[in-house]
């Protein structure tokens, strides 16, 4: 993104972008519910225009149900589903796609309005084009993810495709947020602190890796293989950590994925605690000084929610609630660190 952008007196564009960022966060949460309720394969076709409306009438519902019956997920996992059961999972996948369309409409309408009102500066055009391209790419990745589960002997979408979709959404969130901050944050609120900037970049990198493993956890349903804490089924280093060979073990083995996800969580907590004590001695801007405790508070809540997600994972309902709250807090932690990075990047 163009680093030369300066805060604009017209904050309407920035608030439009922040509205989009908020909608992206909601979209990620709806996606989490869709995954945890096993709803992702309930709609087997991609209809960008006509698909905006749910089925109308009994015949339309039965037609969609018949399409779902052709999937292996139905044949081997949900063959006892009634039409009412199908409507429940269909709703979440439809709502996920509907919100994506609504998000696109909000961006397009806002873009057109500000363009006609000549509110965009020349240096905003390329970042806005990139923003739209990232949004379109995210939609394409989402459909590739769904298709990965609509093949023989697949009961769910692929966990790698799911993670790619999830991380790409977070990348879009960060890009949109950063763009908005460039328009909102006065220059005097930023400081020059290379050491703190490097520390924050390291934290963001580790958080990115943790998000990847969070996606693997969801895709592999890895929480359910070890619903215990602090050990993994009574062991610190179970033999099941090495059920597969080579690099695939780090990605495809639910026990190893679970183990790494836990370990990264502990490491991130320790580093953010160290980061917090380090920042106490730094010269900060007023905005940063008022918000410096947020990353530490959020990561502690995140760990507690992660433990709850694991312990209650045998309950499908509890897994959805804890899993979505866990995901939401993770996004807030990401936003808080991006906020810090922006304020110390000068």
């Amino acid at each position: 993104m163009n680093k030369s952008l300066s805060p604009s007196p017209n904050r309407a564009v920035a608030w439009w972008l922040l509205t989009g960022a908020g909608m992206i966060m909601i979209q990620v949460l709806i996606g989490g519910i869709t995954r945890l309720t096993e709803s992702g394969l309930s709609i087997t076709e991609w209809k960008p225009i006509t698909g905006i409306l749910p089925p109308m009438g009994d015949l339309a519902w039965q037609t969609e149900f018949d399409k779902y019956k052709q999937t292996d997920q139905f044949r081997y996992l949900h063959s006892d589903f009634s039409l009412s059961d199908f409507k429940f999972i269909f709703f979440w996948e439809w709502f996920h796609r509907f919100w994506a369309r609504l998000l696109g409409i909000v961006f397009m309408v806002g873009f057109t309005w500000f363009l006609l009102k000549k509110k965009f500066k020349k240096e905003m055009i390329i970042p806005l084009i990139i923003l739209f391209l990232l949004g379109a790419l995210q939609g394409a990745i989402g459909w590739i993810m769904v298709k990965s589960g609509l093949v023989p002997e697949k009961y769910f979408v692929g966990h790698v495709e799911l993670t790619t979709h999830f991380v790409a959404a977070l990348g879009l969130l960060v890009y949109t947020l950063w763009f908005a901050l460039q328009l909102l944050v006065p220059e005097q609120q930023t400081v020059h602190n290379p050491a703190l900037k490097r520390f924050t970049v390291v934290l963001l990198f580790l958080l990115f890796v943790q998000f990847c493993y969070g996606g693997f956890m969801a895709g592999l349903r890895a929480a359910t293989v070890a619903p215990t804490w602090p050990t993994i089924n009574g062991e610190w280093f179970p033999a099941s950590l090495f059920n597969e060979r080579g690099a695939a073990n780090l990605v495809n083995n639910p026990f190893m994925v679970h183990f790494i996800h836990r370990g990264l969580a502990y490491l991130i907590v320790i580093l953010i605690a160290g980061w917090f004590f380090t920042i106490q001695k730094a010269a900060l801007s007023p905005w940063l000084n008022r918000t410096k405790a947020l990353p530490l508070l959020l990561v502690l809540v995140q760990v507690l929610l992660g433990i709850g997600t694991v312990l209650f994972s045998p309950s499908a309902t509890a897994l959805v609630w804890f899993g979505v709250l866990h995901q939401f807090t993770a996004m807030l932690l990401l936003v808080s660190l991006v906020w810090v990075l922006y304020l110390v990047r000068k």
Side-chain angles (χ1 to χ4, degrees):
M1 191 181 295
N2 191 338
K3 296 181 179 180
S4 66
L5 287 176
S6 58
S8 170
N10 185 353
R11 293 173 175 253
V13 175
W15 285 108
W16 165 63
L17 292 168
L18 287 178
T19 299
M23 291 184 70
I24 292 170
M25 293 180 72
I26 294 173
Q27 176 72 341
V28 173
L29 293 179
I30 297 171
I33 297 173
T34 301
R35 173 63 198 94
L36 293 172
T37 56
E38 300 180 359
S39 304
L41 300 181
S42 58
I43 302 179
T44 59
E45 297 174 322
W46 175 242
K47 299 177 180 178
I49 305 301
T50 58
I52 196 169
L53 295 175
M56 299 294 179
D58 294 340
L59 180 60
W61 273 112
Q62 191 59 52
T63 299
E64 291 298 324
F65 192 21
D66 289 340
K67 293 176 185 176
Y68 177 64
K69 288 179 180 179
Q70 303 306 309
T71 66
D72 278 1
Q73 184 184 76
F74 173 82
R75 292 191 183 103
Y76 297 105
L77 295 182
H78 297 154
S79 58
D80 60 339
F81 261 27
S82 65
L83 181 59
S84 178
D85 296 323
F86 171 71
K87 286 181 178 180
F88 173 79
I89 63 171
F90 185 97
F91 167 78
W92 285 111
E93 176 62 17
W94 171 82
F95 190 43
H96 187 48
R97 298 188 188 192
F98 171 81
W99 194 263
R101 291 182 176 97
L102 183 61
L103 180 57
I105 291 171
V106 168
F107 271 107
M108 286 300 299
V109 170
F111 177 82
T112 303
W113 172 261
F114 289 123
L115 189 63
L116 292 175
K117 293 294 181 178
K118 299 181 180 179
K119 297 295 185 180
F120 293 136
K121 295 181 179 179
K122 185 190 301 184
E123 60 266 31
M124 294 182 189
I125 301 302
I126 292 179
L128 283 168
I129 292 173
I130 293 174
L131 184 61
F132 280 110
L133 290 176
L134 288 175
L137 177 63
Q138 175 66 354
I141 293 172
W143 178 239
I144 291 172
M145 177 194 69
V146 171
K147 288 187 69 175
S148 72
L150 297 175
V151 296
E153 300 182 3
K154 288 292 289 288
Y155 310 147
F156 305 100
V157 299
H159 66 287
V160 173
E161 290 85 352
L162 173 72
T163 301
T164 304
H165 189 48
F166 173 53
V167 172
L170 296 179
L172 181 60
L173 169 63
V174 170
Y175 188 91
T176 307
L177 176 62
W178 193 274
F179 195 173
L181 292 178
Q182 288 182 301
L183 303 176
L184 274 179
V185 178
E187 191 68 22
Q188 61 268 26
Q189 289 294 340
T190 62
V191 296
H192 180 64
N193 193 323
L196 190 56
K197 177 182 176 181
R198 287 192 295 270
F199 203 160
T200 306
V201 168
V202 169
L203 289 174
L204 282 167
F205 173 76
L206 289 174
L207 197 59
F208 165 76
V209 178
Q210 182 71 322
F211 280 135
C212 290
Y213 273 88
F216 296 158
M217 285 282 290
L220 294 170
R221 299 161 298 285
T224 60
V225 303
T228 58
W229 187 84
T231 62
I232 296 178
N233 295 334
E235 300 178 276
W236 292 105
F237 299 97
S240 53
L241 292 178
F242 304 98
N243 283 346
E244 299 189 34
R245 294 182 179 180
N249 189 62
L250 299 175
V251 176
N252 300 329
N253 180 357
F255 291 96
M256 179 58 81
V257 166
H258 194 133
F259 178 79
I260 292 175
H261 195 56
R262 288 195 191 194
L264 278 173
Y266 301 144
L267 176 60
I268 290 172
V269 168
I270 293 169
L271 289 176
I272 289 183
W275 175 92
F276 179 72
F277 288 113
T278 300
I279 205 172
Q280 303 303 313
K281 305 173 184 178
L284 307 175
S285 67
W287 285 10
L288 182 53
N289 193 52
R290 286 195 293 267
T291 56
K292 63 185 179 183
L294 279 178
L296 181 60
L297 292 175
L298 288 169
V299 78
L300 292 175
V301 172
Q302 175 70 347
V303 168
L304 291 175
L305 288 171
I307 293 171
T309 303
V310 167
L311 292 178
F312 292 98
S313 61
S315 167
T317 301
L319 178 60
V320 172
W321 281 103
F322 273 98
V324 170
L325 287 172
H326 185 56
Q327 187 180 55
F328 178 62
T329 310
M331 284 193 289
L332 292 180
L333 177 59
L334 172 65
V335 167
S336 72
L337 288 174
V338 170
W339 165 256
V340 170
L341 182 62
Y342 187 86
L343 293 181
V344 299
R345 96 242 180 267
K346 185 176 178 182

